[in-house]
Amino acid sequence: MGDKMIDIIIPVYNTPLDDLERCLNSILKQTYSNYKVYIIDDGSNKETKEYLDNFISNKESFIIKHIENGGVSNARNVGIDISNSKYIAFVDSDDALEENFLKEAYNLAEDNNLDIVIGGYNEIKNNNIVRIRKSEPGIHIYEGKDIIKFQDKLLSSKTNDSNKEINDAPVGRIYTRLFKRSCIGKLKFDTRIHMSEDTLFMIDLSYQVKRIGVVDKIWYNYYINDYSISNGTEKEIFILRVKDFIKEIETRMNKETNPILKEAYQKRIDKAKNSISK
């Protein structure tokens, strides 16, 4: 394990430089500095590569790895392979962190022996916050048989009386949270899936962790951009990607024996099918 406590993985592919600068500067502003940043340049154009090389030239905590274009999941997997600190965090290159993210998440993870600690985020469009996603106040810990309550929300994307404290916290995302690196182990993102691959990663990871914390802290700023993959996908491609996601969910559902989680899987399938029937 390295001498740093947190590794931050940032995949980059031709991100507009203003957005990229906003992202990287949000890391420099962190109130916790015991981190290492791995920028995975996923075959970007010359302008982006030169910007990144110049940016890290005098920053010891930033490392860049240029790779051939293989998609965001592959880039994240490269970052996982490199990572050797106690904790790992993922950041999208067109988003930004709140300055207390690393410090607050690290302290909560350490103080409560958490494998994952999950905060909330601001959803921003045209520089305006259009939605805030977070849990009910406090810290909500799931361990042992209670992890199923977290998984139920993760799978179905709906809360119920047993897990309503999660509220609108983004449990299926991979940003706005800190992971204990040892709990990820050999788990990787599925490079065949091009939609909701972060949700599949979180589903698989939820079966191999022991203690999850969800808090009402706002740690992340998620920017809705016209150029992003998810917002710019044509209908036909979107339908194909959703069908691929459904297939993966069905595979997991067929292996599940717990009736609560089986029902939760089915709710996620129904939601996905509804998204392509409109």
Side-chain angles (χ1 to χ4, degrees):
M1 184 174 292
D3 60 342
K4 298 296 184 182
M5 294 307 297
I6 301 173
D7 287 336
I8 305 170
I9 311 302
I10 310 177
V12 177
Y13 178 68
N14 294 342
T15 308
L17 299 189
D18 287 347
D19 293 353
L20 188 53
E21 182 178 30
R22 178 183 62 206
C23 174
L24 297 175
N25 283 338
S26 77
I27 295 173
L28 292 176
K29 294 175 183 175
Q30 289 298 299
T31 55
Y32 179 91
S33 60
N34 194 8
Y35 61 78
K36 181 77 77 173
V37 179
Y38 293 100
I39 301 171
I40 313 301
D41 170 33
D42 189 30
S44 295
N45 56 37
K46 182 180 178 181
E47 181 185 37
T48 305
K49 288 179 180 178
E50 289 180 349
Y51 173 85
L52 292 171
D53 287 336
N54 289 332
F55 181 88
I56 70 158
S57 61
N58 61 346
K59 298 176 180 65
E60 187 177 317
S61 293
F62 285 72
I63 295 173
I64 187 165
K65 186 174 181 63
H66 298 288
I67 62 174
E68 292 184 8
N69 180 254
V72 65
S73 289
N74 178 68
R76 287 172 179 155
N77 289 340
V78 170
I80 290 174
D81 287 338
I82 296 172
S83 174
N84 63 354
S85 294
K86 185 172 183 179
Y87 296 100
I88 187 171
F90 297 95
V91 181
D92 284 354
S93 60
D94 55 350
D95 294 333
L97 302 177
E98 290 291 313
E99 64 180 16
N100 289 329
F101 166 52
L102 294 182
K103 182 177 182 179
E104 291 180 349
Y106 174 79
N107 287 338
L108 283 163
E110 288 285 292
D111 293 346
N112 297 280
N113 190 28
L114 300 174
D115 297 329
I116 311 173
V117 57
I118 300 172
Y121 69 80
N122 297 313
E123 198 168 287
I124 299 174
K125 187 171 185 178
N126 298 325
N127 294 318
N128 294 312
I129 297 174
V130 295
R131 182 182 181 188
I132 298 175
R133 295 193 59 181
K134 65 176 183 176
S135 70
E136 293 296 326
I139 179 169
H140 315 287
I141 296 176
Y142 304 88
E143 62 179 336
K145 60 181 176 55
D146 283 340
I147 283 185
I148 194 174
K149 298 176 182 178
F150 174 87
Q151 290 176 306
D152 190 2
K153 161 66 174 178
L154 171 61
L155 295 170
S156 69
S157 75
K158 299 179 183 297
T159 55
N160 53 48
D161 288 341
S162 73
N163 60 18
K164 59 186 178 182
E165 67 279 352
I166 296 177
N167 195 10
D168 199 26
V171 295
R173 308 287 181 139
I174 59 157
Y175 42 76
T176 192
R177 66 203 59 199
L178 207 59
F179 301 88
K180 191 174 286 183
R181 176 65 184 85
S182 60
C183 294
I184 293 177
K186 296 182 179 179
L187 182 63
K188 297 292 178 64
F189 291 89
D190 192 334
T191 57
R192 303 168 302 164
I193 304 300
H194 302 288
M195 178 172 286
S196 300
E197 69 286 341
D198 50 351
T199 299
L200 291 174
F201 182 87
M202 281 300 302
I203 290 171
D204 293 342
L205 185 60
S206 73
Y207 284 96
Q208 59 190 56
V209 297
K210 295 181 178 179
R211 197 167 161 88
I212 302 169
V214 181
V215 297
D216 63 326
K217 304 283 188 180
I218 299 296
W219 287 334
Y220 198 90
N221 293 297
Y222 169 70
Y223 288 83
I224 302 173
N225 302 303
D226 292 335
Y227 61 80
S228 70
I229 294 174
S230 57
N231 291 312
T233 304
E234 295 181 2
K235 184 68 174 179
E236 295 80 5
I237 298 175
F238 173 77
I239 292 173
L240 289 174
R241 290 178 175 178
V242 172
K243 287 182 177 179
D244 287 341
F245 174 71
I246 290 172
K247 184 178 179 181
E248 289 300 316
I249 291 292
E250 287 177 337
T251 298
R252 288 161 175 76
M253 182 178 70
N254 291 335
K255 295 177 182 177
E256 181 58 63
T257 57
N258 187 293
I260 293 174
L261 295 186
K262 215 170 183 68
E263 181 181 355
Y265 272 117
Q266 187 59 58
K267 288 179 180 178
R268 176 55 68 109
I269 291 171
D270 292 342
K271 179 182 178 182
K273 287 181 177 178
N274 184 58
S275 72
I276 59 177
S277 63
K278 296 178 180 178

